[in-house]
Amino acid sequence: MTDLTTGIPFEYWNKLANQVITISSLLGGFSIAIIANILVSQNDSRLVKIIMLVSTLAGSFFLVTIFAMTKLLLMTTEGYPFQVAERDLALPRLLGTISFFLGVLSLITMISLAGWTKSKRMGRITTGLGMLTFILILLMMT
């Protein structure tokens, strides 16, 4: 079958959803590992609390992506027991895509802020690397 709104075959959506699930699982696991490390640390500064918040956002967004893309994967798999119309794919596709990019943005923010916990110099370096990462990701999306 083909999604009539985009003209993209269901098989393509299926493979794309599978890839995004894998990537989101890895990035979400990384975000959750950071949360665990912050929870056991003795540092209670304002910056560490902000990093904790951003890490939690990243983990949450990646979890939403995993479930949205799993629904998309199931709906586009041969043998799915219900009739699927192209409009049925819109919500999981939109929600999964938006939450994935918000998760990536949160992860980049977390990486950018991490260096500030050590020194101004390290903070500047990690912020610069975060900005470079964001720019390169934007370039890869065009």
Side-chain angles (χ1 to χ4, degrees), residues 121-141:
R121 183 172 188 265
M122 186 58 72
R124 289 182 186 125
I125 291 169
T126 57
T127 300
L129 288 172
M131 289 159 82
L132 178 64
T133 301
F134 182 68
I135 291 167
L136 292 173
I137 289 172
L138 287 178
L139 285 173
M140 290 301 107
M141 291 174 38

Side-chain angles (χ1 to χ4, degrees), residues 36-108:
N37 281 322
I38 291 173
L39 284 174
V40 299
S41 78
Q42 300 300 316
N43 193 343
D44 249 359
S45 70
R46 183 173 183 267
L47 181 58
V48 170
K49 289 177 183 177
I50 292 171
I51 293 171
M52 174 77 162
L53 175 66
V54 173
S55 299
T56 303
L57 281 172
S60 299
F61 285 131
F62 288 128
L63 282 174
V64 170
T65 301
I66 290 167
F67 282 93
M69 289 300 168
T70 298
K71 181 173 182 170
L72 186 64
L73 180 74
L74 291 172
M75 293 172 73
T76 58
T77 298
E78 181 98 18
Y80 185 69
F82 305 106
Q83 184 69 27
V84 179
E86 64 271 0
R87 70 178 181 279
D88 298 331
L89 302 179
L91 182 62
R93 190 174 63 211
L94 181 67
L95 190 59
T97 301
I98 290 171
S99 63
F100 179 78
F101 285 111
L102 288 174
V104 169
L105 190 59
S106 298
L107 193 59
I108 291 170

